[in-house]
Amino acid sequence: MKKTWWKESVVYEIYPRSFCDSNGDGIGDLNGITGKLDYLSDLGINVIWLAPVYKSPNDDNGYDISDYRDIMDEFGTMEDYDHLLEEAHKRGIKIVMDLVANHTSDEHAWFVESRSSRDNDKRDYYIWRDPVDGKEPTNWGSCFGGSAWEWDEKTGQYYLHCFSRKQPDLNWDNPRVREEVFDLMRFWCEKGIDGFRMDVISMISKKPDFVDAPVDDGIYGNTSLEVSYGPHLHEYLKEMNQKVLARYDLMTVGECGGVTTEHAKKIANAEGTELGMVFQFEHVSVDGGPDGKWYKKPMPLPALKENLSKWQRELDGRAWNSLFFGNHDQPRIVSRIGDNSPISAKAAAVALYSMQGTPYLYQGEELGMTNYPFKGIEDYDDLECINAYHQIVEAGFRDPEELLEAIAYKSRDNARTPMQWSDEENAGFTTGTPWFHINPNYREINAKSQIYDPDSVYSFYKRYFALRTDSPWKNLLVYGKYQLLAPEDEAVFAYIRYADEQKLLVVCNLSAADRTFEVPESVQIDPSLSLLINPDESQLLISTYKDSRLSRTLLLRPWEAGIWAV
Ligand code: TEU
Ligand code: CA
């Protein structure tokens, strides 16, 4: 496997609105991030993935961009951005921008022109269709509720929006649109940024036929089946690569919902002709229901392990994985894999980040920040869950109380409550009125109390990442091969990482109960390779307990998780 800096990096996602407010207006901003760079540098991360900071009317918190070459008013100015980039680089931290180019805001100048008349020069920048039998051209649903088609009275056509009606989809089949996107990418590359995270990049090539999709939520057709992985996806990514990416030294990661390993192997191919990595979601969907994510049930560990192992196996030597549980669209990992306790946050980190791939953590994960105690639907900000609630309840599909519980468990808003910096007022996030609820547990869970506490989640993450980025075990942890152990075990996630003569054994008790784990004497990888494991000649690299010791029959305490060189 070819070695690159971004395979060896740890990526930290910042959701700027909720990270740190520098001017007391209650909204996080760029100067707030700059002020926390020393904190991030101390934690030991290498790359910041900055969720969108461009000009936006904020229908979807910045994922609806009205000007790609300007900064959102609430977040500051372009000078503030340049300052952030410079200060980050001084500390050896790289910055990856969020490229949201499947769609724009309906307030973007391109769309304003496009909708102005049927013969406008930019009409074909977006996807316009005539009505069929007097109604929407297809049964497709928007990801955020309702139809994916919006009627435009003035010009008498529908436009496609896979997300909100304020996020019209761009028409990538138009070469002028691709040139516009490549151009804005160059604008940021010339500033010296270090890469792109590409929002729903899997949707840029729509299947050409525009036919109804199977209805799986009881109301609308499943749009993503029709608009994802269309016939030109790989062609467009290669074109982007040749015209932009290959000219710079960038980290690129494509957000690819519903991606198969076959497509992923092409998108993140080791030759680097498309993108560097994929961000896929199968492993965070195994606790969903038949019609989507709005269910509250425990993560079934065997299914989770089987899925993660499939991705490890399939991409090994061919493409590159992203390792994540949390991001700005996911509930908090410690409330989902863990039981909200600090030690469960540590155990989940060992289980996840010791696999092959690039680790991503989402702001606050390093503190063990938990889900928020949401109650009524009026507690939420995010259009996804608010719209889903009304749509499902109006259709009479679910009991509202039970649905609310599921939403409290899975809502994206769990990730979007402000960072808990200290036990002072508003968790030290702002001196003003915070734009969103602050989790009342900030008095116990906050950065200030954890930084100097050697037993904190923060200190554990810091030690863990040092192992991965700056230790004799680095190469093995980053590039080593992976083999799952005990696939059926319902509580223990155990595996081996190996390369040449070196072996690491990872054993994680992902439960609050005592468990026993039988360490195998040898592991048959293939007919010609069998790895011997001798507990008596093992070295502990890290553990969630101070006194973990490896033995053939391993007694694991609640959330005991460790890595041993064997
Ligand atoms: O999310 C893509 C996506 O497919 C979402 O539907 C995601 O699966 C959902 O949020 C999970 O319930 C990206 C961004 O990460 C998200 O924040 C944006 O809202 C979305 O694209 C539109 O830009
Ligand atoms: Ca602010």
Side-chain angles (χ1 to χ4, degrees):
M1 186 55 92
K2 194 173 152 230
K3 296 188 172 172
T4 65
W5 62 264
W6 44 265
K7 290 177 184 162
E8 300 173 10
S9 292
V10 171
V11 183
Y12 185 98
E13 186 195 354
I14 291 184
Y15 196 69
R17 199 173 187 80
S18 301
F19 192 64
C20 183
D21 174 23
S22 71
N23 63 352
D25 68 351
I27 299 175
D29 46 53
L30 294 174
N31 289 336
I33 300 171
T34 308
K36 295 295 183 188
L37 286 172
D38 287 334
Y39 167 86
L40 296 174
S41 165
D42 180 70
L43 177 59
I45 60 103
N46 316 100
V47 176
I48 291 171
W49 152 18
L50 199 57
V53 296
Y54 319 91
K55 196 77 89 206
S56 164
N58 279 307
D59 189 51
D60 184 20
N61 283 352
Y63 283 90
D64 47 322
I65 298 170
S66 55
D67 187 347
Y68 292 90
R69 290 177 172 79
D70 204 350
I71 299 293
M72 192 190 297
D73 292 331
E74 293 95 319
F75 290 176
T77 63
M78 195 55 93
E79 285 69 46
D80 297 337
Y81 179 85
D82 293 338
H83 183 59
L84 167 63
L85 186 62
E86 193 186 325
E87 289 297 316
H89 284 170
K90 269 190 205 159
R91 291 164 178 80
I93 295 177
K94 298 184 188 287
I95 295 193
V96 161
M97 297 295 282
D98 211 318
L99 178 74
V100 188
N102 170 69
H103 44 268
T104 68
S105 163
D106 64 339
E107 298 180 32
H108 193 288
W110 300 334
F111 191 72
V112 174
E113 277 198 54
S114 182
R115 80 183 314 172
S116 67
S117 75
R118 283 207 193 199
D119 52 17
N120 182 274
D121 174 53
K122 293 199 168 60
R123 184 67 170 180
D124 200 31
Y125 269 38
Y126 294 85
I127 299 170
W128 293 97
R129 286 288 186 280
D130 288 327
V132 173
D133 301 331
K135 44 183 191 41
E136 290 81 7
T138 65
N139 68 350
W140 302 352
S142 143
C143 215
F144 295 150
S147 166
W149 294 103
E150 182 73 5
W151 176 246
D152 181 61
E153 193 62 55
K154 186 170 169 213
T155 58
Q157 280 189 315
Y158 288 95
Y159 66 84
L160 179 68
H161 60 89
C162 294
F163 295 91
S164 95
R165 61 168 61 87
K166 286 185 67 62
Q167 294 167 299
D169 281 55
L170 281 165
N171 174 17
W172 276 65
D173 295 333
N174 179 344
R176 285 175 62 203
V177 166
R178 301 201 296 279
E179 282 308 326
E180 297 268 20
V181 174
F182 300 158
D183 221 46
L184 74 89
M185 292 174 74
R186 285 183 207 109
F187 169 85
W188 288 96
C189 290
E190 288 303 316
K191 274 189 180 289
I193 65 154
D194 304 288
F196 293 104
R197 174 268 184 184
M198 302 184 187
D199 195 67
V200 288
I201 201 69
S202 46
M203 292 187 175
I204 57 174
S205 168
K206 273 81 176 158
K207 292 183 186 159
D209 7 332
F210 282 67
V211 292
D212 282 354
V215 176
D216 50 15
D217 67 355
I219 307 175
Y220 291 103
N222 185 335
T223 308
S224 100
L225 294 176
E226 293 301 321
V227 301
S228 307
Y229 309 100
H232 304 292
L233 174 65
H234 299 290
E235 175 192 326
Y236 295 162
L237 290 177
K238 287 198 177 80
E239 183 184 350
M240 178 199 280
N241 188 298
Q242 284 155 15
K243 292 187 171 164
V244 187
L245 306 178
R247 296 165 192 235
Y248 304 87
D249 180 20
L250 302 174
M251 171 185 134
T252 52
V253 49
E255 191 202 25
C256 294
V259 72
T260 58
T261 52
E262 290 317 307
H263 276 300
K265 280 184 246 183
K266 290 188 191 159
I267 296 170
N269 71 72
E271 290 72 45
T273 57
E274 295 187 20
L275 305 180
M277 296 175 250
V278 287
F279 216 76
Q280 63 83 25
F281 296 89
E282 280 182 3
H283 64 297
V284 285
S285 309
V286 295
D287 60 351
D291 54 352
K293 69 190 242 185
W294 304 118
Y295 290 87
K296 180 177 180 179
K297 46 187 193 185
M299 185 66 90
L301 192 62
L304 177 71
K305 294 192 291 188
E306 182 191 297
N307 185 267
L308 288 166
S309 302
K310 175 184 88 178
W311 283 91
Q312 290 287 299
R313 195 172 56 239
E314 293 275 330
L315 265 50
D316 181 53
R318 306 188 183 104
W320 198 250
N321 272 304
S322 308
L323 305 174
F324 79 97
F325 278 136
N327 76 353
H328 66 285
D329 294 334
Q330 299 292 327
R332 291 286 178 180
I333 171 180
V334 67
S335 306
R336 193 174 186 187
I337 310 281
D339 63 359
N340 287 333
S341 63
I343 193 171
S344 69
K346 300 175 190 174
V350 177
L352 173 69
Y353 296 136
S354 307
M355 288 186 273
Q356 188 193 71
T358 296
Y360 288 71
L361 75 154
Y362 177 70
Q363 67 187 40
E365 253 165 44
E366 76 278 23
L367 306 175
M369 275 179 63
T370 66
N371 275 358
Y372 181 85
F374 289 109
K375 297 276 180 299
I377 196 69
E378 64 286 349
D379 284 350
Y380 296 88
D381 171 74
D382 182 27
L383 77 173
E384 182 198 33
C385 68
I386 297 172
N387 294 349
Y389 177 79
H390 293 300
Q391 183 165 309
I392 298 169
V393 168
E394 268 160 37
F397 287 158
R398 303 265 295 270
D399 167 47
E401 286 306 309
E402 178 251 347
L403 180 60
L404 269 180
E405 269 185 45
I407 288 178
Y409 186 62
K410 288 278 184 67
S411 171
R412 311 197 293 181
D413 277 338
N414 285 300
R416 300 175 180 189
T417 65
M419 261 297 269
Q420 294 165 207
W421 292 107
S422 72
D423 61 1
E424 285 142 48
E425 209 179 342
N426 296 323
F429 163 73
T430 178
T431 55
T433 307
W435 75 275
F436 198 38
H437 317 292
I438 290 182
N439 197 312
N441 64 17
Y442 74 90
R443 291 185 196 280
E444 296 81 55
I445 300 175
N446 63 70
K448 198 170 165 201
S449 68
Q450 293 197 23
I451 294 172
Y452 297 108
D453 172 2
D455 293 328
S456 67
V457 178
Y458 178 90
S459 298
F460 186 86
Y461 264 64
K462 182 174 167 170
R463 276 207 307 284
Y464 183 86
F465 290 140
L467 205 58
R468 232 191 184 269
T469 56
D470 185 20
S471 86
W473 307 104
K474 170 179 163 173
N475 262 314
L476 190 49
L477 275 167
V478 174
Y479 297 105
K481 287 178 175 291
Y482 166 99
Q483 175 67 46
L484 180 68
L485 303 176
E488 307 300 329
D489 197 306
E490 306 224 325
V492 179
F493 193 172
Y495 51 89
I496 303 235
R497 297 293 307 282
Y498 63 98
D500 306 322
E501 292 302 290
Q502 287 188 307
K503 281 162 280 173
L504 298 178
L505 173 66
V506 180
V507 184
C508 309
N509 176 9
L510 296 182
S511 82
D514 291 332
R515 304 288 296 199
T516 317
F517 181 72
E518 207 57 44
V519 176
E521 294 195 8
S522 72
V523 181
Q524 197 72 38
I525 302 290
D526 59 48
S528 66
L529 180 62
S530 138
L531 303 174
L532 299 178
I533 306 179
N534 181 0
D536 300 330
E537 283 173 28
S538 63
Q539 179 194 344
L540 179 67
L541 306 190
I542 194 164
S543 167
T544 55
Y545 283 78
K546 285 204 179 73
D547 54 350
S548 289
R549 192 167 302 124
L550 193 64
S551 56
R552 190 62 73 198
T553 300
L554 187 56
L555 303 175
L556 294 161
R557 289 161 284 185
W559 305 107
E560 183 162 10
I563 310 178
W564 288 267
V566 289

